[in-house]
Amino acid sequence: MPYTVPKLTDYSAATLERAANECLSACTAESREVRTDAGLKSFRDRWMARKNGILNQINDRWLKGAPQEAKREAGIQVNALKARITELVEGAHVSGAGALDNECLDISLPGTRRPLGAEHPVVRTSNEIVSVFAKLGYSVAEGPVVESDYYNFEALNFPPNHPARDTQDTLFIAGQQSKPPRERLLLRTHTSPVQIRTMEKMAPPVRLVIPGRVHRNDPPDASHSPMFHQIEGLAVDTNITFGDLKGTLDHAMKALFGSSVRTHFRPSFFPFTEPSAELYVTCFICGGSGKRGSDPCRPCKQTGWIEVLGCGMVDPNVFEFVKDNGYDPKRVSGFAFGMGVDRLALLKYGVDDIQLFFQGDVRFLQQFG
Ligand SMILES: [Zn+2]
């Protein structure tokens, strides 16, 4: 018996669903019986014809006939059913013996190309940095992107109301006014909370790199994005000195940018390190001359130096928060550093707009494949 659209006895969700399922299985069965091109045409007409196709009848009987209070639910069901039927009918093809009559195989046609994916330039840069430190014996740690105020600020020596918090425009999760301030959730503004989380779990010595996504309330422009990536490093042991910090980072920069780069530390301030420094490397684009031919070198602003990261000796106040796990500031010392991966990727690949990394335009990303 060919399928005919039944009249519905009632318009409950269960009845509608049963009717829709019957209709779908009828359509599926008919689509499998199509053996010739003519059969395919009449199958399509039977279901989709504008005047008296089955889809049209469903519209008339199930939707227009529905009482006012059931119209909404019936509309949703009928629309979903129509989408499935349309998909089935459009995807139907001649099958069985009939298919062989109509088909022939042209082995000279090119095959279906299945393009391989590739690492995103930011991910690739991040992996390169991680692998330099992995060779030095650092392990990789990760942590949550939605973080509490305690881990993002307080345990890193940013006390409540400290002005240094203003330097990190923070995106807070809404509706938490009733919670105590240190438990309020935010999108982490740096990967540093993972330092505390790891020190809570692991006794010293530790050597860690922490790659990850961070957020700040920066309006997007060519060099800012509300979402970006950092890599943070932490080494804690007995007798770690600023000399170890300099030696480690000098080696890492040479491994990343070539053995001819020189490094240079300038004093800076971060709440969680003391003393703190910014690390500069000789510009790997102009070789430190500040010029490209007769043109000025833009990436280093003609200075010949590029700032790549912030670093310093872990502030003893930070160790106080994890003192019970073996981090007695009188006994252990350590250094930490953090860098922006996206910025390094921009410099490395000569890209002049950070937004390009996150717009997902395959024409742009393909260049790095
Ligand atoms: Zn330069």
Side-chain angles (χ1 to χ4, degrees), residues 283-292 297-306:
C283 176
F284 38 86
I285 292 152
C286 64
S289 66
K291 285 200 176 319
R292 294 165 91 177
C297 177
R298 279 210 348 225
C300 65
K301 303 190 180 84
Q302 305 181 58
T303 60
W305 292 93
I306 289 183

Side-chain angles (χ1 to χ4, degrees), residues 287-321:
S289 66
K291 285 200 176 319
R292 294 165 91 177
S294 56
D295 294 333
C297 177
R298 279 210 348 225
C300 65
K301 303 190 180 84
Q302 305 181 58
T303 60
W305 292 93
I306 289 183
E307 187 210 330
V308 280
L309 55 80
C311 58
M313 301 304 290
V314 179
D315 193 303
N317 285 345
V318 172
F319 286 138
E320 290 288 343
F321 287 93

Side-chain angles (χ1 to χ4, degrees), residues 132 248-263 281:
V132 166
T248 305
L249 291 181
D250 185 73
H251 168 85
M253 293 304 117
K254 288 185 163 69
L256 279 172
F257 302 118
S259 55
S260 60
V261 300
R262 282 173 296 131
T263 53
V281 296

